[in-house]
Amino acid sequence: MKRSVQTAGLGLVLGLGLVPVAGEAMAQSCTQKIGAVLPISVDWGRPIAETAKFVVEQVNSAGGVAGCNIELVLRDDQTDPKVGVDAAKALVDIDQVPVLLGSVSSGVSMPILTSVTVPGKVMQMSCCSSSTAFTKLAEQGKTEGLWFRTFATSRVQAAVGAMVARDKGYKSVAILYKNDDWGQDIGKIVAANLEKLGIKVTAQVALNDAQPSYRAEVTEALAGQPDAVYLALYPTEGTAAVREWLSLGGTQNMILTNSLKSDDFRKNVGIEYLGNAVGTDTASPRTPSAEAFVTRYVEKFGSQPNGPGLANSYDATMIALLAMQAAGKDAKGPQIAAMVAKVTDPKGTPVTADAAGFAEAAKILAGGGTVLYQGATGNVKFDANGDVSAPAVVWSFTNEGTKEDTYIPLEEVDAFVASMK
């Protein structure tokens, strides 16, 4: 995965954690701010932020939202819940944004949702948080209809991880997971799926942030001599844990979540040790709209959108801005959230996910119509809890980055998930 072109636009301002983004069309007489809390200080987080900025540029070139230029105020959460909450509070209290994009980590998005956006009546749209805890919260009415995500829940990756273990013939698997909302969630689900397939789970071990060593945790996971290890970790602790794992004689048979689809992880562990490692991720459907996103992305950044969450970031940003357009000038979070259904209406007029599509959508919405947004992840459709479903892929590392090994259609994913319940 090439990062140099993707990250070129951030430069020194990343150190401040604040990036105002101006669009190409500056003729508008007003400006509307939206906020984003994303992990721009990590290698896979920066392209997610750049993708959101790209959407804002296109929307501004199409005339902005309700006649106003959009300014994206971007803050770094450093994948730290406290930092993320503080950043979100500043965006809501000081910048008074009606919409907040973010975050990536479920462990950061959850406290932002419960302590900042819901109390502040701000719509929150995440590209990448997958914990099923959000679904439970929505079912209880505690998100107040303000929460949406364009990334499928952890059930998809957990299902595909179990599929991989089954197809490779592993009889036993140890699980190492990050000790946060996301890691606990996906670790529990994949363990249940593996056991339903008759695969023994020899250990489920949580890893905390910023420990000087993970030797004790890795030793515990190795005790059962598993055929493979499932890693639901981020690159920093993932690198440290895998180094310990290999140094203590652990197998190179690894199943990775998409959070380890990272240049830093690949380089710091060493490609020579990752030959038997396979990863899982959600995927865009094989549709013209998804292919069009790839073309636009390559034209903009000069490389393929191979990193995690890029298509999801694109759609999260575009849908949020379309909902703002539908809600009208000076609309508040609840009004904007109520318009999401109007811009993702299966019976609406199809619109493309670019500047021309946004301009067309604005005209249709102004005339009282609805639109069907056809985006980077296909025709996005949210359920009552703000969730989506998605196809999946199995991937592996190469010397240059990653490659797709297997594409699993939505119908097959949904059928397997249903069979695990």
Side-chain angles (χ1 to χ4, degrees):
M1 292 177 288
K2 298 179 181 178
R3 299 294 193 204
S4 58
V5 178
Q6 294 173 343
T7 60
L10 290 172
L12 294 176
V13 289
L14 279 177
L16 302 176
L18 180 64
V19 186
V21 181
E24 298 172 10
M26 302 302 292
Q28 293 91 328
S29 60
C30 55
T31 298
Q32 172 67 65
K33 292 181 179 180
I34 64 169
V37 178
L38 296 168
I40 52 181
S41 54
V42 297
D43 73 318
W44 45 264
R46 290 189 290 273
I48 290 173
E50 286 290 342
T51 302
K53 289 170 59 180
F54 179 36
V55 173
V56 171
E57 291 171 6
Q58 292 182 83
V59 169
N60 284 338
S61 73
V65 170
C68 293
N69 200 64
I70 292 296
E71 180 182 326
L72 174 64
V73 186
L74 172 63
R75 293 183 180 270
D76 185 11
D77 64 35
Q78 302 174 33
T79 67
D80 183 309
K82 184 180 184 303
V83 174
V85 167
D86 288 345
K89 283 181 177 177
L91 290 168
V92 172
D93 296 341
I94 299 173
D95 295 293
Q96 297 187 326
V97 300
V99 168
L100 189 143
L101 304 173
S103 181
V104 172
S105 165
S106 295
V108 177
S109 291
M110 181 60 81
I112 289 175
L113 180 68
T114 56
S115 66
V116 182
T117 53
V118 170
K121 306 300 181 186
V122 170
M123 187 181 91
Q124 185 174 345
M125 179 79 77
S126 172
C127 67
C128 310
S129 294
S130 62
S131 171
T132 57
F134 294 100
T135 304
K136 295 172 185 175
L137 206 66
E139 288 172 344
Q140 296 166 359
K142 294 180 180 180
T143 64
E144 298 184 12
L146 294 167
W147 164 258
F148 302 88
R149 51 180 163 181
T150 53
F151 196 89
T153 71
S154 298
R155 294 190 185 281
V156 172
Q157 279 206 77
V160 179
M163 282 184 185
V164 168
R166 177 197 65 189
D167 294 346
K168 289 198 172 277
Y170 299 148
K171 303 301 182 185
S172 60
V173 177
I175 299 170
L176 293 175
Y177 63 90
K178 186 176 177 68
N179 196 17
D180 66 2
D181 288 339
W182 166 74
Q184 294 163 14
D185 184 56
I186 196 169
K188 177 180 67 177
I189 296 170
V190 78
N193 288 353
L194 288 167
E195 289 171 349
K196 285 184 179 180
L197 292 174
I199 299 169
K200 183 179 180 181
V201 177
T202 60
Q204 298 178 63
V205 184
L207 273 64
N208 295 313
D209 279 330
Q211 290 184 202
S213 170
Y214 294 107
R215 181 165 287 259
E217 290 85 353
V218 169
T219 299
E220 179 184 350
L222 278 167
Q225 298 182 320
D227 293 340
V229 60
Y230 182 91
L231 300 169
L233 303 168
Y234 286 159
T236 300
E237 69 271 10
T239 298
V242 169
R243 284 175 171 174
E244 294 276 17
W245 178 268
L246 295 172
S247 71
L248 293 172
T251 176
Q252 292 185 22
N253 296 334
M254 305 176 200
I255 304 171
L256 316 174
T257 55
N258 71 331
S259 54
L260 293 177
K261 203 177 193 180
S262 157
D263 283 348
D264 284 352
F265 177 77
R266 173 176 55 85
K267 291 173 183 176
N268 292 335
V269 171
I271 188 66
E272 65 271 27
Y273 301 110
L274 296 170
N276 291 342
V278 292
T280 63
D281 201 354
T282 60
S284 297
R286 291 349 190 204
T287 62
S289 66
E291 293 167 2
F293 160 70
V294 174
T295 300
R296 283 191 299 275
Y297 190 95
V298 172
E299 289 173 350
K300 172 67 177 178
F301 297 109
S303 61
Q304 293 286 323
N306 290 330
L310 300 182
N312 310 86
S313 177
Y314 191 97
D315 285 350
T317 309
M318 189 69 84
I319 291 168
L321 294 178
L322 281 167
M324 288 178 69
Q325 177 70 35
K329 188 176 179 181
D330 299 325
K332 304 302 182 183
Q335 296 168 293
I336 297 168
M339 291 296 103
V340 170
K342 196 171 183 178
V343 301
T344 56
D345 182 3
K347 298 180 180 179
T349 303
V351 295
T352 54
D354 53 16
F358 192 92
E360 181 184 0
K363 294 178 182 177
I364 296 167
L365 294 167
T370 64
V371 299
L372 170 60
Y373 170 75
Q374 298 182 309
T377 59
N379 297 348
V380 179
K381 182 181 179 182
F382 298 100
D383 67 12
N385 301 314
D387 289 344
V388 297
S389 190
V393 293
V394 177
W395 55 270
S396 57
F397 284 112
T398 67
N399 288 324
E400 294 75 30
T402 63
K403 65 181 179 69
E404 179 183 308
D405 296 328
T406 308
Y407 173 77
I408 306 170
L410 175 61
E411 297 77 15
E412 187 175 340
V413 171
D414 285 348
F416 187 83
V417 170
S419 74
M420 292 293 100
K421 291 181 180 179

